[in-house]
Amino acid sequence: MNVRDAYITTNQVQSLAMDELRDDGDHDLSLGDRFDLWRDGFQSQAATLYDFEEHGRDAYLDDYRRYVRTKRINGRWSLALDNKLLFHRLLEPFDEHRPELYGVVRDGRFHHVSDGRTGDGVPADTVPAPDAEVSPTRFGRRDDGHPGDAELTGVDDRNAGAVVYDHLRREGNLVLKWTNGGGGNNVLLCQRMDDGVRIDGETVTREAFERRVDALSDYLVTELVGMDTYAYHLYPDSPNTIRALSMYDAQAGEPFLATAVHRIGTDASAPVDNWSAGGLSASIDLDTGELSPAARAPKFGWEGRREVHPDTEEQIAGVTVPGWDDIREELLAMADELSYVPYIAWDIVVDAPGEFAVIEANNYTDVDLLQVHEPLLTDERVRRFYETHDVL
């Protein structure tokens, strides 16, 4: 093991241990039972999440391998997934699947970023007046976007907060997210309101919003991609995203989807849909796009699966992602283009039947929200992939 791998291993083992300590779920396990799980690489929640009795432990990718070994699969290309701006650049051949990127906030200044699109970087004099009518829709895309007269580059003369507010005033909704990291951490969902700005469900004044933005560093400012109708009906107060895990099969010379789940927000997780915050996970049939009954992390008081949403009472099981065939094939085309990054967990928002935007990509995805439905290692292609990359 080289120095870099030893460093990664040490850090990831610490992360694994800290996650276990933070797990406040009641798994009804004795200390001996917990040690037994730890010995096989599993966290305590695995006893509740996974069906070991039916499948056996060997069918599941354990937490140690997920934390420590899958992180190494992409090698130095992992940086391209961890850095959201760099990954945005890598997706340039698939521009129709990229959210519009307005710029980067760093140390209180706004850096305009060329997105390669007409109308990027709209000058200040094209921004509507404060009382101009806008049509912000929570987690929805505006249809009356401003085309812009020129593309700006470089550092704006104004404070970052003022520039970002101008974009928000024009677009109605924005996302600010840290350039590094994943898991829904350090993401601000912003909406223009008549009495100020709503940030993650909390309304603040314009001045407070600008001060908060001025204090940020290394944050991307992007559009907030709207959901298609089916996802909005499932739960309207969070962007309900799909996580699809692609693997590149070097032997076959092509990528494949190992699994995909639909994340769905709840009153506990809103305004995000994260599993770790109390969101739901429904498996997607890779052939048909049909959703399974939904599962939830044990610490939020669920066991088993539910066919309807606990808050909206909307049907989940049996709902089909519209245009799934096109979505699946386009994801595979993107994974093929990025064959040098063999392990990608795509987070996408379906914004129209068969159409989607890539919100971000993950270097070493959580597997609990995936394997809660079916173990990964029962698929021989998946097992071979992990063996090829020294995970198993």
Side-chain angles (χ1 to χ4, degrees):
M1 182 183 294
N2 59 36
V3 174
R4 179 177 178 271
D5 285 347
Y7 175 78
I8 290 174
T9 298
T10 300
N11 279 344
Q12 292 305 103
V13 168
Q14 289 176 349
S15 296
L16 174 61
M18 290 303 297
D19 276 358
E20 174 70 7
L21 290 173
R22 283 192 293 263
D23 180 9
D24 54 2
D26 181 10
H27 306 297
D28 194 25
L29 295 173
S30 68
L31 185 58
D33 290 336
R34 291 178 187 268
F35 272 117
D36 184 53
L37 286 166
W38 297 341
R39 184 184 60 226
D40 287 342
F42 292 99
Q43 294 177 313
S44 298
Q45 69 165 353
T48 307
L49 277 178
Y50 301 153
D51 192 345
F52 290 140
E53 185 174 340
E54 179 176 348
H55 299 290
R57 293 185 184 181
D58 289 344
Y60 292 89
L61 183 68
D62 64 76
D63 296 299
Y64 175 83
R65 288 183 171 90
R66 177 259 158 174
Y67 271 84
V68 176
R69 297 184 183 176
T70 64
K71 188 176 176 67
R72 304 172 185 164
I73 291 175
N74 291 323
R76 297 190 183 280
W77 281 105
S78 63
L79 297 174
L81 303 187
D82 292 336
N83 187 300
K84 295 178 178 64
L85 179 56
L86 178 54
F87 188 71
H88 185 84
R89 297 298 196 198
L90 286 182
L91 287 185
E92 197 165 285
F94 300 92
D95 183 62
E96 68 273 20
H97 298 305
R98 298 191 302 171
E100 189 166 356
L101 173 63
Y102 303 117
V104 178
V105 173
R106 188 176 190 200
D107 296 329
R109 305 303 300 274
F110 186 89
H111 298 254
H112 295 277
V113 175
S114 172
D115 208 15
R117 294 169 171 167
T118 302
D120 233 21
V122 179
D125 59 8
T126 70
V127 174
D131 57 350
E133 183 177 351
V134 295
S135 56
T137 301
R138 188 165 176 79
F139 307 115
R141 188 197 302 270
R142 289 184 59 222
D143 295 325
D144 55 343
H146 288 255
D149 298 330
E151 184 174 286
L152 298 179
T153 58
V155 185
D156 201 288
D157 292 335
R158 298 167 293 163
N159 289 343
V163 182
V164 173
Y165 184 79
D166 279 347
H167 278 286
L168 181 62
R169 195 166 48 166
R170 182 176 66 251
E171 301 299 330
N173 298 282
L174 289 176
V175 178
L176 285 80
K177 54 186 178 181
W178 197 35
T179 54
N180 291 288
N185 298 315
N186 302 306
V187 176
L188 304 177
L189 305 180
C190 307
Q191 179 185 16
R192 177 188 166 183
M193 308 295 290
D194 290 338
D195 56 348
V197 177
R198 178 178 290 167
I199 307 174
D200 292 344
E202 177 187 0
T203 301
V204 300
T205 64
R206 171 183 173 174
E207 292 75 20
F209 172 75
E210 292 189 9
R211 287 195 300 270
R212 185 164 181 180
V213 173
D214 285 341
L216 298 177
S217 191
D218 294 325
Y219 271 69
L220 300 186
V221 183
T222 75
E223 71 167 310
L224 195 157
V225 179
M227 298 182 287
D228 190 46
T229 304
Y230 86 95
Y232 183 85
H233 284 318
L234 290 175
Y235 187 75
D237 293 330
S238 72
N240 302 314
T241 60
I242 290 173
R243 174 161 294 183
L245 178 60
S246 68
M247 301 179 178
Y248 192 84
D249 186 339
Q251 181 176 326
E254 63 182 14
F256 65 95
L257 289 187
T259 188
V261 298
H262 211 304
R263 299 187 298 190
I264 305 166
T266 66
D267 288 351
S269 72
V272 297
D273 63 353
N274 296 65
W275 167 267
S276 59
L280 311 181
S281 168
S283 179
I284 300 175
D285 186 300
L286 295 179
D287 292 323
T288 67
E290 183 176 318
L291 303 189
S292 74
R296 197 177 196 179
K299 65 181 179 180
F300 295 99
W302 267 30
E303 289 188 22
R305 309 289 183 271
R306 299 194 184 182
E307 296 195 353
V308 300
H309 195 284
D311 303 315
T312 65
E313 298 185 353
E314 289 287 332
Q315 184 73 22
I316 295 174
V319 171
T320 298
V321 178
W324 171 251
D325 287 349
D326 292 337
I327 292 169
R328 181 190 60 227
E329 295 310 308
E330 191 69 359
L331 281 171
L332 289 172
M334 296 166 76
D336 196 37
E337 176 74 18
L338 300 179
S339 58
Y340 48 89
V341 191
Y343 191 62
I344 303 176
W346 306 84
D347 285 348
I348 68 172
V349 170
V350 178
D351 54 357
E355 300 179 10
F356 64 90
V358 178
I359 304 304
E360 66 178 30
N362 301 272
N363 180 47
Y364 66 110
T365 178
D366 292 322
V367 294
D368 47 2
L369 79 163
L370 308 177
Q371 293 190 123
V372 67
H373 304 288
E374 290 289 337
L376 281 166
L377 302 182
T378 55
D379 186 326
E380 286 303 318
R381 297 172 304 170
V382 173
R383 182 177 287 275
R384 184 171 66 246
F385 174 87
Y386 283 133
E387 288 174 345
T388 299
H389 291 278
D390 297 322
V391 174
L392 302 179

